[in-house]
Amino acid sequence: MRAAAIAPSNLALVKYWGKRDSALNVPATGSISVTLDGLSTSTTVDFREDLEADECVLDGVRNGRGAERVTRFLETVRSSFGVERRALVESASDFPAAAGLASSASGFAALALACDAALGLSLSEAQLSALARRGSGSAARSIVGGFAEMRPGEAADGSDAFAVQIAPPERLPLAILAAVTTRARKPVGSTEGMLRTAESSPFYGAWTSSVPRALAEMRAALEAADLERVGMLAEANAMRMHATMLGADPPLLYWNGVTVELVHAVRELRAAGVQAYVTIDAGPQVKVLCEESARAAVREALLAVEGTLEVLEARPGEGARLQDVQG
Ligand code: PMV
């Protein structure tokens, strides 16, 4: 009852920000992402008879921060599939955990797949994606590779809220760079931030009603493999999400000064004829989409901004996969 899986992180091009069911972690709207080859998490799960409580080792730290969320996920697995045993979970990311990039997407996608294999559940890709969603909304998209669309579904039990692949990774040759501006933990996590936004931002309704059109436009841009369109739409969508967050009470400002400087640096690159576009999640790091041939120039421009600590690199890739199964 032991299995290991590896899953990539992903970057939303049309963002998920808001839930229709908090208990089941069902998103209020759809979202579209690109799966990030180069930023992955490997997770082993071992359901053992001799354990009285779940044990969780995340990036070498035993039962530290994040362990409670893993235990909650394991409780969901146990109650959904009639499992009694407690589990030992060991998980490590190949990107710096302190970089403030979402490791929950890759972590829960890997854990969902490892649980499926360890327990012999033989879940379909859609069921796996829906299971990963219980750990983290964005994790549902890391199960499928390439360009993934999360469907919010309509069912009360969330069973039709899962991600599907809408284009293979090779559809759009793309470099993705992430400029790290701080290694500090973000002050407000996504669950709390979404709740606060939905409850207090007067822009929240406008945000959720704008998403279906954004999804349709992004689907069309991906279908046409039009990098300029994909990039402009992704940048506009990220800015709208942040505008909505800023409307919350108290306001959610995830950016720091370096974040703003980086946005300007990318706009300057664009003015100079480089196809490069910005997107930002619930944190101060700046992610840049650009043509593969501009990778080195973009990297240099990001590092030239005072306060950029490091630049991580990725490309569109495949989804979660198994590493080994025993017992
Ligand atoms: O999966 P969560 O709960 O960490 O939420 C992800 C939220 C954003 O990263 C800001 C947007 C997204 O779609 O990934």
Side-chain angles (χ1 to χ4, degrees):
M1 293 181 86
R2 175 176 180 279
I6 182 165
S9 188
N10 70 73
L11 176 65
L13 304 174
V14 175
K15 306 290 184 191
Y16 148 54
W17 196 255
K19 301 179 200 277
R20 86 169 149 87
D21 186 321
S22 294
L24 295 170
N25 210 26
V26 185
T29 59
S31 56
I32 291 179
S33 65
V34 54
T35 310
L36 299 178
D37 187 21
L39 304 174
S40 301
T41 301
S42 297
T43 300
T44 303
V45 65
D46 191 1
F47 286 90
R48 286 165 40 163
E49 217 161 9
D50 62 338
L51 284 179
E52 293 201 346
D54 295 319
E55 294 261 337
C56 182
V57 184
L58 301 181
D59 287 316
V61 180
R62 185 171 290 268
N63 297 334
R65 214 175 58 71
E68 203 183 310
R69 215 166 141 191
V70 169
T71 298
R72 264 205 312 276
F73 180 81
L74 292 169
E75 284 298 345
T76 298
V77 170
R78 278 190 287 265
S79 63
S80 305
F81 304 104
V83 176
E84 300 270 315
R85 289 187 184 190
R86 308 286 128 169
L88 167 65
V89 172
E90 288 170 292
S91 189
S93 296
D94 64 6
F95 55 97
L101 293 153
S103 55
S104 65
S106 49
F108 282 108
L111 182 57
L113 182 57
C115 286
D116 175 61
L119 299 169
L121 303 174
S122 304
L123 298 180
S124 67
E125 188 177 80
Q127 289 170 319
L128 271 174
S129 174
L131 178 61
R133 188 202 77 227
R134 300 293 298 271
S136 160
S138 53
R141 300 184 309 234
S142 278
I143 292 290
V144 304
F147 296 86
E149 178 166 353
M150 179 72 197
R151 302 267 161 83
E154 289 171 357
D157 66 357
S159 56
D160 57 355
F162 53 79
V164 296
Q165 184 177 108
I166 56 169
E170 45 304 336
R171 170 68 55 81
L172 191 63
L174 196 65
I176 300 133
L177 295 92
V180 178
T181 67
T182 176
R183 297 198 173 91
R185 221 164 91 60
K186 64 182 166 204
V188 182
S190 58
T191 297
E192 186 189 338
M194 286 182 201
L195 197 68
R196 189 192 298 177
T197 306
E199 279 174 353
S200 65
S201 176
F203 311 139
Y204 181 69
W207 159 254
T208 53
S209 56
S210 78
V211 174
R213 175 155 179 204
L215 291 170
E217 288 175 337
M218 185 59 77
R219 262 182 238 126
L222 287 168
E223 181 64 34
D226 182 342
L227 173 60
E228 184 178 4
R229 199 75 205 115
V230 168
M232 291 302 278
L233 288 168
E235 189 168 308
N237 183 265
M239 296 298 168
R240 277 185 194 163
M241 178 182 73
H242 285 275
T244 310
M245 295 162 158
L246 281 169
D249 181 14
L252 285 162
L253 174 58
Y254 283 106
W255 301 17
N256 58 36
V258 185
T259 313
V260 180
E261 292 303 329
L262 284 162
V263 172
H264 286 298
V266 172
R267 292 187 165 194
E268 276 161 32
L269 275 175
R270 209 148 71 216
V274 180
Q275 282 202 47
Y277 310 89
V278 161
T279 179
I280 304 169
D281 293 297
Q285 328 298 11
V286 175
K287 288 88 180 237
V288 181
L289 308 164
C290 67
E291 38 192 351
E292 188 54 66
S293 60
R295 183 188 286 273
V298 171
R299 183 185 176 81
E300 202 180 316
L302 298 178
L303 285 169
V305 171
E306 204 184 322
T308 299
L309 302 179
E310 67 178 314
V311 174
L312 306 175
E313 298 193 18
R315 60 195 55 72
E318 303 294 342
R321 59 189 186 279
L322 278 177
Q323 290 188 300
D324 75 78
V325 189
Q326 287 166 26

